[in-house]
Amino acid sequence: MATIEECRAALEKLSDSMRDAEGDVRTAAAMDRSVSCHITDLDTTFVGRMAGGRIVVRDTLQGPPREKAQIRLTMTGDDLVALVNGELHFAKAWGSGRVKLEAGLRDLFQLRKLL
């Protein structure tokens, strides 16, 4: 089972990848939105902001998100690490229910370029 530190490192790695992206992916990464990532097996939520092509984690909370972020992810820590490392395909994980992504329709269209 992935630790909180491994999950935070995975989010940092994802943020670095977004910063270095080009084309449509870079445009999608430039969105300015509140973000939460609930890690179910650790019952921990990372909250922050996606802006300027990066994800900045501002806080780590016990339990589910307290406020509704504009972009909300829910998954296990192992799935987060596997997604970021390219070992788990997002569409397959989302389709099977292993990963939940909630956002407004416009944001979902933008996010599909990232995922």
Side-chain angles (χ1 to χ4, degrees):
M1 180 167 78
T3 65
I4 290 174
E5 292 79 19
E6 290 169 324
C7 292
R8 182 178 289 278
L11 289 170
E12 283 294 320
K13 184 176 178 179
L14 175 61
S15 183
D16 291 344
S17 295
M18 289 170 52
R19 179 195 61 216
D20 298 336
E22 296 180 2
D24 286 345
V25 174
R26 184 177 191 91
T27 301
M31 295 169 41
D32 185 4
R33 299 288 186 270
S34 60
V35 177
S36 69
C37 182
H38 181 66
I39 306 301
T40 56
D41 55 334
L42 299 174
D43 197 25
T44 299
T45 301
F46 295 95
V47 293
R49 189 137 203 105
M50 186 169 100
R54 294 197 49 88
I55 298 171
V56 177
V57 175
R58 294 186 178 158
D59 207 356
T60 305
L61 310 170
Q62 276 301 113
R66 295 184 183 121
E67 296 179 16
K68 186 176 177 181
Q70 292 167 303
I71 298 171
R72 299 167 304 280
L73 288 162
T74 304
M75 68 192 83
T76 67
D78 287 342
D79 284 345
L80 173 62
V81 171
L83 280 169
V84 172
N85 288 335
E87 300 161 1
L88 179 63
H89 191 267
F90 180 83
K92 193 173 192 178
W94 183 54
S96 69
R98 286 175 65 177
V99 173
K100 290 183 184 177
L101 170 64
E102 299 174 89
L105 190 57
R106 182 180 291 168
D107 289 343
L108 287 172
F109 282 121
Q110 282 291 92
L111 289 170
R112 70 182 170 84
K113 297 173 189 173
L114 284 174
L115 308 169

